[in-house]
Amino acid sequence: MSSDLEKLREIGAQKIFEQTHITKEHVQAILHKSFEGLNKVQFNGFISILEREYQVDLKDVKEAASSFYNQQNGLFDTNKEQNGVFVTPEKEKKSSAIYIIFSVLIISLAILYFNFENSLVDESKVDNSLIESVKK
């Protein structure tokens, strides 16, 4: 364990939260090397803030996190990461199909509406030529 990490532990998660505005839970996760609640981008950002604010070197924490995230990538290699959330390809295909079906339904309803409206306009037209000939 590095002396820099020990220095941060002595400061405490509450004090670090007050100074850096990194949530207390995330600070505790970093101090205890528990990376399950953090995605890689968040972790790197928080480590950068801690190193800058407290002039510490958290190389050993970075190495532990790197091995954790590499191991996680092995578990999720068939999945894609979007905004920090892993999405399986099947789920992505299902949502695309739903959007396509919904779009087709909306377009069909629009076509039916306009056809019905046009048929009402056609029915309201009266052939006045027969009426005019009878009046004469």
Side-chain angles (χ1 to χ4, degrees):
M1 181 180 326
S2 76
S3 61
D4 290 335
L5 183 60
E6 190 60 39
K7 176 182 171 184
L8 290 177
R9 286 184 181 158
E10 288 173 7
I11 294 171
Q14 181 64 34
K15 194 73 160 174
I16 292 172
F17 161 70
E18 291 170 3
Q19 292 175 344
T20 62
H21 301 289
I22 300 171
T23 62
K24 196 168 149 180
E25 292 79 20
H26 290 137
V27 172
Q28 288 175 340
I30 291 170
L31 295 179
H32 298 291
K33 295 183 182 180
S34 173
F35 311 112
E36 290 85 21
L38 298 168
N39 67 37
K40 191 173 183 177
V41 175
Q42 283 178 317
F43 171 78
N44 288 329
F46 295 152
I47 288 294
S48 297
I49 292 170
L50 292 173
E51 287 179 333
R52 181 187 68 225
E53 292 297 317
Y54 296 101
Q55 288 80 36
V56 293
D57 182 22
L58 300 173
K59 183 174 65 173
D60 59 334
V61 178
K62 287 181 190 177
E63 290 172 358
S66 178
S67 66
F68 172 79
Y69 290 120
N70 287 339
Q71 186 179 27
Q72 287 295 101
N73 279 342
L75 295 175
F76 294 108
D77 61 352
T78 60
N79 300 337
K80 219 165 68 169
E81 185 176 358
Q82 294 178 343
N83 298 330
V85 177
F86 287 98
V87 178
T88 60
E90 294 83 30
K91 205 176 218 181
E92 189 175 294
K93 287 179 185 177
K94 284 182 183 179
S95 64
S96 296
I98 290 171
Y99 288 127
I100 291 171
I101 291 170
F102 186 70
S103 299
V104 168
L105 180 66
I106 295 295
I107 291 171
S108 299
L109 289 174
I111 290 171
L112 285 174
Y113 173 76
F114 288 118
N115 282 339
F116 182 72
E117 187 178 290
N118 286 340
S119 68
L120 289 178
V121 171
D122 290 342
E123 289 177 8
S124 64
K125 293 180 182 175
V126 178
D127 186 18
N128 289 334
S129 63
L130 184 60
I131 296 173
E132 293 298 324
S133 67
V134 170
K135 282 183 181 179
K136 288 183 184 179

